[in-house]
């Protein structure tokens, strides 16, 4: 059980400190076997010493390095952060009471029963003295029943594996990657961390001399210099962006060279950062248009975990939905009285004040209208203003659309302390007594059926107070949409400029319609803004505030045209 795994990892850590690396690795591996068998994880600080031991062993024995580096990749995925685990648990619990699918309900409850039986049997074994072959046989049979129950859940709910925090090995990732792709993942411990890349069937790994707190400080510097404030757009902190590149990308530059697409599985505070704005070389904040941004070298896809990528790509072909697009925008915010009822003053008064400040987003009306026209959808597929309610959204049969566009606020825990789940804000239905019916919670996304190559959430903000926790919340929201049937999400990391958002979304969709992948399409739109800044666009548009907030999460290979057809690219967007 978990306590034994913790004890083994602590013992391994102590042996490593005492220079007994072989004994340390024996303890770590025994603990890892328990974690994998029980499908559980440990805090990052417990797992990093395992990677240290493997790294030292690979350095001491170069001939064994490939296998040891692959083991490092798998070991890193044994670490789980509490916020991510909590969001996944909330989503899994929601399946057990799902209103829309009795088969899913029954399968999930069967899995819950199997888990409970196993816990009781393990407790019985812990309490028994000595060997008990009969009890071991009962446990083995119960484990088989649990595996069968999990298979039944996966059959009833094909997206279920998106709600697991399971580890995948490097070989599985390598098979999921295209020849011109590389996957970059990382783990940040208290004092140091590791970056790892999977490319062409091999794993490369490097230790970095910076822990979570130091990296978080750099992320906060970059974000503070990227978001608009009371004084306007701030001076960009190019030094922090370059230092993050030096720590995270430069050590693996040899393995990444020539990769057209970089799939990034960030860790901790890095979940709140768009990797495209990292700087490969120093830059002057006054001359950002031609700077060596990472987006100039690779199309970039973000994933919550390597397992997410493997699961998405195992699902096979793209959307078979018959209709191109449906979009929702220009929501009407709930009233102050409605927010007050949702966030009582005695417990959540600060939340009520912050929520009341959620402004209408009039620019999203033009964004949705232009996207609808670009993809050739019917005029009534732009659902705007007071019509953008959650009941109306659910009536649209979202599984009929290849692109679903939600141009509205996405609230993440951390921004509102009484909000326990990531939530999307719509207009409240007429006569709603509180703001609650205007919040689409991540767990409720699980009840929606989709068949979308792309879901666009164009008004997220992963910052929160001090930039903490929003990235992990966004990861949980993404998993919910993947479960619902989305293959990719295009989201923003901070409040965006209306003109830049409309241009980014429209040009990305235009490129997708021309047959480009989601990742290449977003990169092309961002490079368009960078290259045209100071020419057909204001020079200020070279600042990351304008072009960098959009990121793609999920499977970056999907195009936008219907399966089995090709589409010519429309004329370039007018600047």
């Amino acid at each position: 059980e978990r306590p034994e795994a913790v004890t083994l990892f602590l013992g391994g850590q102590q042996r490593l400190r005492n220079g007994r690396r072989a004994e340390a690795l024996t303890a770590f591996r025994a603990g890892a076997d328990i974690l994998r068998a029980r499908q559980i994880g440990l805090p990052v600080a417990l797992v990093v010493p395992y990677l240290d031991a493997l790294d030292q062993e690979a350095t001491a024995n170069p001939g064994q390095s490939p296998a040891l580096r692959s083991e490092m990749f798998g070991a890193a995925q044994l670490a789980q952060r509490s916020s991510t685990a909590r969001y996944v648990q909330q989503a899994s619990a929601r399946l057990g009471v799902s209103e829309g699918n009795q088969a899913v309900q029954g399968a999930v409850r069967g899995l819950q029963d199997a888990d409970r039986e196993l816990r009781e049997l393990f407790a019985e074994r812990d309490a028994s003295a000595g060997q008990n072959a009969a009890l071991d046989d009962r446990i083995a049979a119960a484990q088989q029943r649990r595996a069968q129950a999990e298979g039944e859940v996966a059959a009833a709910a094909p997206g279920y594996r998106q709600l697991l925090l399971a580890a995948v090995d490097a070989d599985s990732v390598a098979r999921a990657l295209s020849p011109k792709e590389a996957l970059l993942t990382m783990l940040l411990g208290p004092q140091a961390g590791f970056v790892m890349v999977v490319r062409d069937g091999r794993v490369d790994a490097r230790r970095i001399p910076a822990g979570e707190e130091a990296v978080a400080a750099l992320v906060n510097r970059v974000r503070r210099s990227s978001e608009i404030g009371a004084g306007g757009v701030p001076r960009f902190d190019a030094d922090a962006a370059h230092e993050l590149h030096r720590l995270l990308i430069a050590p693996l530059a040899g393995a990444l060279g020539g990769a057209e697409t970089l799939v990034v599985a960030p860790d901790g505070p890095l979940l709140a950062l768009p990797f495209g704005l990292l700087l490969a070389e120093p830059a002057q904040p006054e001359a950002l248009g031609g700077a060596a941004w990472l987006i100039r070298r690779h199309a970039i896809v973000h994933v919550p975990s390597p397992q997410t990528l493997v699961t998405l790509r195992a699902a096979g072909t793209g959307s078979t939905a018959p209709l191109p697009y449906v979009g929702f925008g220009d929501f009407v915010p709930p009233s102050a009285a409605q927010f007050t009822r949702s966030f009582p003053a005695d417990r959540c008064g600060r939340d009520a004040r912050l929520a009341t400040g959620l402004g209408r987003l009039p620019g999203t009306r033009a964004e949705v209208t232009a996207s609808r026209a670009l993809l050739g959808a019917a005029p009534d597929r732009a659902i705007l203003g007071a019509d953008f309610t959650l009941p109306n959204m659910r009536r649209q049969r979202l599984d009929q659309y290849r692109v679903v566009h939600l141009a509205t606020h996405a609230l993440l825990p951390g921004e509102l302390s009484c909000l326990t789940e990531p939530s999307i804000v719509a207009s409240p239905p007429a006569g709603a007594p509180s703001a609650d019916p205007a919040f689409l919670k991540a767990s409720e996304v699980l009840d929606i059926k989709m068949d979308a190559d792309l879901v666009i959430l164009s008004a997220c903000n992963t910052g929160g107070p001090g930039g903490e926790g929003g990235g992990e919340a966004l990861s949980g929201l993404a998993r919910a949409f993947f479960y619902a049937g989305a293959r990719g999400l295009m989201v923003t990391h901070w409040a965006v400029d209306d003109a830049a958002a409309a241009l980014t979304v429209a040009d990305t969709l235009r490129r997708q319609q021309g047959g480009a992948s989601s990742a290449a399409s977003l990169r092309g739109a961002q490079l368009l803004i960078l290259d045209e800044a100071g020419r057909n666009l204001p020079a200020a548009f070279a600042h990351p505030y304008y072009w960098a907030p959009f990121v793609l999460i999920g499977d970056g290979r999907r195009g936008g045209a219907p399966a089995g057809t090709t589409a010519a690219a429309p004329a370039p967007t007018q600047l």
Side-chain angles (χ1 to χ4, degrees):
E1 280 286 355
R2 188 178 188 277
E4 184 177 358
V6 170
T7 303
L8 286 163
F9 270 76
L10 289 171
Q13 182 176 341
Q14 189 61 39
R15 289 174 174 83
L16 185 63
R17 286 177 182 151
N18 293 338
R20 296 152 60 190
R21 188 170 65 242
E23 294 178 32
L25 282 170
T26 298
F28 286 133
R29 286 164 174 161
D33 286 344
I34 294 172
L35 297 177
R36 292 190 178 100
R38 301 292 291 122
Q39 298 187 353
I40 52 179
L42 293 181
V44 174
L46 284 175
V47 177
V48 168
Y50 182 14
L51 272 68
D52 273 323
L54 291 168
D55 186 49
Q56 293 174 23
E57 188 74 8
T59 302
N61 298 284
Q64 299 177 28
S65 181
L68 291 165
R69 300 295 184 196
S70 293
E71 187 177 348
M72 288 176 69
F73 179 86
Q77 294 174 71
L78 299 174
Q80 289 180 8
R81 294 188 179 272
S82 58
S83 296
T84 300
R86 183 173 68 252
Y87 297 134
V88 170
Q89 288 166 359
Q90 287 173 338
S92 298
R94 172 76 182 183
L95 290 185
V97 294
S98 174
E99 298 173 359
N101 192 322
Q102 295 297 319
V104 173
Q105 273 188 328
V108 169
R109 288 172 182 169
L111 179 58
Q112 291 168 344
D113 290 342
D115 280 332
R116 184 165 47 252
E117 180 188 15
L118 264 177
R119 285 195 299 270
E120 292 170 354
L121 287 170
F122 279 123
E124 185 179 343
R125 186 168 70 181
D126 288 344
S128 65
Q131 296 294 320
N132 188 329
L135 184 56
D136 289 343
D137 289 342
R138 288 169 59 200
I139 289 174
Q143 287 174 323
Q144 289 184 344
R145 287 193 292 273
R146 191 208 177 278
Q148 181 179 352
E150 185 173 284
E152 291 171 357
V153 176
Y160 167 72
R161 298 194 188 280
Q162 292 295 350
L163 305 181
L164 298 177
L165 293 177
V168 292
D169 58 34
D171 289 342
S172 298
V173 172
R175 289 192 295 270
L177 293 172
S178 301
K180 291 289 188 177
E181 289 183 317
L183 180 133
L184 175 74
T185 189
M186 57 219 66
L187 190 67
L188 300 175
Q191 306 300 327
F194 286 88
V195 289
M196 289 158 279
V197 65
V198 180
R199 175 90 188 276
D200 295 333
R202 292 178 55 85
V203 177
D204 200 357
R206 293 290 186 274
R207 192 177 194 272
I208 59 173
E212 180 180 357
E213 187 174 335
V215 171
L218 290 169
V219 170
N220 286 337
R221 282 173 57 186
V222 171
R223 284 200 56 121
R224 282 196 302 269
S225 68
S226 299
E227 300 180 63
I228 196 168
V233 179
R235 178 184 175 89
F236 182 66
D237 194 334
D239 292 341
H242 177 53
E243 177 64 8
L244 284 168
H245 185 282
R246 187 188 72 80
L247 288 170
L248 305 171
I249 309 296
L252 297 167
L256 296 175
E260 293 177 357
T261 300
L262 181 60
V263 182
V264 182
D267 179 49
L270 292 165
L271 285 160
L273 188 76
F275 268 62
L277 56 56
L278 300 187
L279 282 167
E281 299 171 9
Q284 295 299 316
E286 298 80 13
L288 295 175
W293 304 107
L294 189 62
I295 196 65
R296 288 200 177 277
R297 300 190 175 189
H298 314 279
I300 298 174
V301 181
H302 297 70
V303 290
S305 70
Q307 170 238 344
T308 301
L309 180 75
V310 172
T311 303
L312 281 172
R313 293 197 170 171
T317 58
S319 171
T320 58
L323 300 174
Y325 174 91
V326 64
F328 305 83
D330 192 18
F331 84 116
V332 177
S335 67
Q338 288 171 320
F339 276 128
T340 299
R341 292 189 185 97
S342 295
F343 301 108
D346 58 336
R347 303 190 309 275
C348 309
R350 177 179 174 275
D351 285 4
R353 291 189 296 273
L354 289 173
T356 302
L358 288 176
R360 195 162 182 167
L361 300 169
T364 61
R365 179 175 287 266
E367 180 184 324
V368 169
T369 301
S371 299
R372 178 207 62 75
L374 182 66
L375 296 186
D380 64 354
R381 295 303 82 199
I383 298 168
L384 304 165
D387 291 333
F388 174 17
T389 65
L390 296 183
N392 196 13
M393 189 182 87
R394 293 186 177 101
R395 283 193 290 268
Q396 301 307 314
R397 295 188 62 196
L398 296 183
D399 60 347
Q400 300 298 296
Y401 301 95
R402 298 187 293 276
V403 176
V404 177
H405 190 172
L406 300 168
T408 184
H409 291 291
L411 299 176
L412 305 176
E415 291 181 273
L416 300 180
S417 57
C418 290
L419 189 72
T420 60
E421 292 186 65
S423 300
I424 293 165
V425 187
S427 303
S434 72
D436 291 353
F439 292 148
L440 177 66
K441 299 179 179 66
S443 61
E444 294 171 338
V445 173
L446 303 176
D447 291 330
I448 297 175
K449 291 184 179 179
M450 289 185 169
D451 183 12
D453 282 324
L454 189 65
V455 172
I456 304 171
L457 303 176
S458 58
C460 284
N461 181 357
T462 61
E468 297 177 0
E472 288 194 70
L474 180 60
S475 171
L477 185 62
R479 289 176 185 271
F481 273 102
F482 295 150
Y483 173 87
R487 294 164 182 82
L489 269 73
M490 194 166 85
V491 304
T492 58
H493 272 297
W494 52 78
V496 293
D497 173 81
D498 282 348
L503 175 55
T504 301
V505 171
D507 198 60
T508 297
L509 293 177
R510 177 185 69 82
R511 293 170 190 273
Q512 264 198 301
Q513 282 297 96
S517 69
S518 301
S521 297
L522 177 57
R523 176 177 182 258
Q526 291 175 319
L527 292 181
L528 175 71
I529 293 175
L530 279 168
D531 293 341
E532 293 293 341
R535 300 171 59 190
N536 293 311
L537 290 172
F541 272 49
H543 191 288
Y545 163 67
Y546 293 94
W547 63 266
F550 279 95
V551 299
L552 187 70
I553 305 176
D555 183 355
R557 297 190 304 189
R558 305 296 181 184
T565 68
T566 58
T573 303
Q574 295 297 309
L575 300 179

